Amino acid sequence: MNWTTLVSAETLAAALGQPGLVLVDCRHALADAEAGERAWQAAHLPGAGFAHLDRDLSDHAADASLGRHPLPDPAAFQAVLGRLGITPDVQVVAYDAADGALAAARLWWLLKLSGHERVAVLDGGVARWQALGLPMDASPAPAPAAPYPRRFDAAQVVRTDEVLGRLAEPAGWLLDARAPERFRGEVEPLDPVAGHIPGALNRPYAANLEGGRMRAPEVLRSQFEALLGGRRPEDVVLSCGSGVTACHNLLAMAHAGLPGARVYAPSWSGWVSDRSRPVATGD
């Protein structure tokens, strides 16, 4: 097993029970933060542990300038990985209820930041798994391991000072994963200010999907290259509302053979924590 972006339900089902495979259930609902864990307790992919977006993949004790889902404390995240049975030599598969756009892609990114290459997201999530009639049960999570021995590569995380320093660049260096109406500033259900960071282009994460699954790599590559306008992926920053769905664009770019972009972790919620920062609206 050497899955580094996505894995199909069929491929994963054939590998169940193999040594060195760790599954992590990341189901999460913004409207009910405990719904995902309740669903995991009722039934999950065989042997899957559970990672909570708020408790395990974020640090809500952090300053508001770091956004609604600040990065977890490195030591605390290392302990979470150990609890899940994740060591540097295992293959990890993270999954969500459907498209992987919430916590599954976030866990994928955090593991990549930690130098863990063999991590993938289940394409189509639990929805496709169940549609195929594949097994779900209430089996126990894997045995815990020692805390993970690697910490985040801080160079791969974009901070606000870098964004401020790039505002004069031509549009397109920053891709925003939020829905178009939020990007344009027409509605804002979660944050105190509507709009987007000047210089951003809108790439809703939902555009990466077709029928609940990731689009073909060649389709994604064509779409992203049109937005990049000749830029290298390494020169592109990805954002969203709080640093979660931006990870889905990062996953899609990697799946398309365009790795190297970086995530602005505070994203829009962190940006507008200081009301003096500029805001753009419209397309």
Side-chain angles (χ1 to χ4, degrees):
M1 295 173 287
N2 188 26
W3 309 321
T4 59
T5 55
L6 296 170
V7 61
S8 71
E10 296 91 337
T11 299
L12 179 59
L16 286 180
Q18 289 189 22
L21 175 62
V22 177
L23 309 183
V24 184
D25 189 318
C26 300
R27 284 178 283 180
H28 189 84
L30 292 176
D32 181 354
E34 304 311 316
E37 189 166 20
R38 290 196 302 270
W40 169 75
Q41 290 169 340
H44 48 258
L45 272 65
F50 182 77
H52 195 288
L53 175 61
D54 291 329
R55 294 196 305 269
D56 300 326
L57 309 182
S58 308
D59 179 6
H60 287 285
D63 188 87
S65 65
L66 299 178
R68 282 185 284 105
H69 287 104
L71 290 181
D73 172 76
F77 183 64
Q78 289 172 301
V80 166
L81 296 182
R83 172 177 61 79
L84 293 169
I86 296 173
T87 60
D89 58 340
V90 301
Q91 171 70 61
V92 181
V93 176
Y95 67 86
D96 256 327
D99 52 37
L102 275 174
R106 169 82 163 204
L107 176 58
W108 175 85
W109 177 54
L110 292 176
L111 275 165
K112 293 290 188 181
L113 285 180
S114 303
H116 196 105
E117 287 302 316
R118 295 173 62 214
V119 54
V121 171
L122 177 61
D123 194 16
V126 170
R128 187 164 190 275
W129 184 268
Q130 292 181 305
L132 294 173
L134 295 170
M136 301 275 285
D137 61 32
S139 55
Y148 199 81
R150 303 174 190 160
R151 295 201 174 202
F152 300 137
D153 178 2
Q156 296 304 310
V157 182
V158 175
R159 306 295 182 184
T160 298
D161 56 353
E162 179 178 340
V163 176
L164 286 165
R166 298 185 66 177
L167 292 180
E169 291 185 28
W173 61 273
L174 178 63
L175 302 183
D176 188 320
R178 292 176 300 158
E181 61 273 18
R182 289 184 68 195
F183 178 84
R184 292 191 296 262
E186 296 165 3
V187 298
E188 183 43 68
L190 298 171
D191 294 309
V193 179
H196 60 265
I197 298 170
L201 296 179
N202 193 203
R203 170 64 186 191
Y205 81 85
N208 300 328
L209 302 164
E210 185 172 15
R213 299 184 67 187
M214 195 75 82
R215 292 184 184 273
E218 60 272 18
V219 173
L220 291 169
R221 187 179 186 97
S222 175
Q223 293 175 341
F224 275 101
E225 285 182 337
L227 290 171
L228 299 187
R231 292 179 178 84
R232 303 180 309 154
E234 294 87 344
D235 297 327
V236 174
V237 175
L238 306 175
S239 73
C240 56
S242 65
V244 177
T245 56
C247 301
H248 199 272
N249 275 348
L250 189 71
L251 174 64
M253 291 181 69
H255 182 56
L258 296 169
R262 295 177 299 140
V263 173
Y264 172 40
S267 283
W268 180 246
S269 56
W271 182 258
V272 298
S273 67
D274 182 341
R275 301 296 180 85
S276 70
R277 293 177 186 143
V279 169
T281 56
D283 291 326

